[in-house]
């Protein structure tokens, strides 16, 4: 048995062994994820998908990560893009979150809800916040691709003061939820 840096025994299972997909899903079902919509522009036009895997990694430089499933029709365009837009949503943006999560829907049919930035990426209007990002790394991970991106531009429409409850939109136990004052713990 080897030791890690702090003297903790290494109990990592041997490569090739793992928990079942059902057990893994069951564990994460109780772990909420914030909701974002990722957009990109490719040779066939704009694409969008809803993700609950967006996380900030570093403030300096401003980096974030997210993953996209190989099952999404938007994934090839997002993987190939040099730049993308990450829309961070709150409960007011639930219709956009649902649209990005619905297969076969034309997410850009209503041209009043989005436009292209001067740099070409599609951006939805009126969301809580969006970040235009340069993709800096891609990593295959099972049936998904993990993407690291550096924020180049940000627009915050509905800002929050530190400690303010807001109305965060999260995905938890296979359903949408609004965090707010009622969910605040001291």
């Amino acid at each position: 048995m080897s030791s890690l840096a702090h003297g903790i025994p290494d109990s990592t299972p041997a490569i090739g062994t793992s928990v079942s997909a059902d057990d893994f899903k069951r564990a994460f079902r109780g772990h909420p994820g914030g909701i974002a919509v990722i957009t990109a522009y490719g040779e066939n036009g704009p694409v969008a998908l809803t993700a609950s895997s967006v996380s900030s990694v570093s403030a300096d430089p401003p980096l974030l990560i997210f993953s996209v499933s190989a099952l999404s029709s938007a994934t090839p365009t997002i993987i190939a893009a040099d730049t993308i837009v990450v829309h961070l949503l709150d409960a007011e943006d639930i219709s956009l979150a649902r649209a990005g999560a619905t297969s076969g829907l034309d997410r850009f049919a209503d041209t009043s809800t989005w436009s292209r930035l001067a740099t070409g990426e599609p951006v939805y209007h009126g969301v809580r916040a969006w970040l235009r990002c340069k993709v800096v790394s891609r990593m295959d991970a099972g049936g998904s691709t993990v993407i690291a991106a550096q924020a180049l531009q940000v627009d915050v429409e509905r800002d929050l003061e530190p400690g303010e409850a807001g109305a965060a939109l999260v995905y938890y136990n296979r359903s949408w939820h609004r965090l707010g004052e009622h969910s605040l713990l001291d």
Side-chain angles (χ1 to χ4, degrees):
M1 188 182 294
S2 63
S3 295
L4 298 176
H6 299 289
I8 300 170
D10 182 1
S11 60
T12 305
I15 301 296
T17 63
S18 63
V19 300
S20 71
D22 287 341
D23 283 346
F24 190 75
K25 289 178 192 176
R26 193 164 47 97
F28 272 88
R29 194 175 301 132
H31 185 73
I35 303 301
V37 167
I38 315 295
T39 59
Y41 199 89
E43 60 185 49
N44 295 320
V47 298
L49 62 77
T50 297
S52 61
S53 60
V54 176
S55 293
S56 64
V57 175
S58 167
D60 189 15
L63 298 172
L64 59 85
I65 60 170
F66 62 93
S67 65
V68 290
S69 168
L71 301 176
S72 172
S73 61
T75 294
T77 300
I78 291 171
I79 289 173
D82 290 328
T83 56
I84 47 96
V85 176
V86 177
H87 302 77
L88 302 174
L89 309 184
D90 63 16
E92 290 184 39
D93 306 313
I94 184 70
S95 60
L96 179 58
R98 287 184 172 137
T102 303
S103 235
L105 187 65
D106 182 355
R107 296 167 183 100
F108 298 95
D110 183 354
T111 57
S112 70
T113 63
W114 71 281
S115 60
R116 287 179 67 181
L117 295 172
T119 49
E121 304 87 354
V123 63
Y124 286 106
H125 307 155
V127 297
R128 189 189 76 71
W130 58 260
L131 300 105
R132 178 178 163 266
C133 301
K134 175 175 181 35
V135 174
V136 295
S137 180
R138 297 167 186 87
M139 179 184 82
D140 289 337
S144 296
T145 299
V146 177
I147 296 174
Q150 182 172 347
L152 303 173
Q153 183 179 354
V154 64
D155 181 70
V156 179
E157 180 110 356
R158 292 185 294 278
D159 200 4
L160 294 171
E161 294 298 321
E164 186 180 355
L169 179 62
V170 298
Y171 196 70
Y172 171 77
N173 198 16
R174 300 187 51 84
S175 57
W176 308 101
H177 292 266
R178 171 199 316 255
L179 296 183
E181 192 65 40
H182 68 284
S183 59
L184 182 63
L185 300 176
D186 290 330

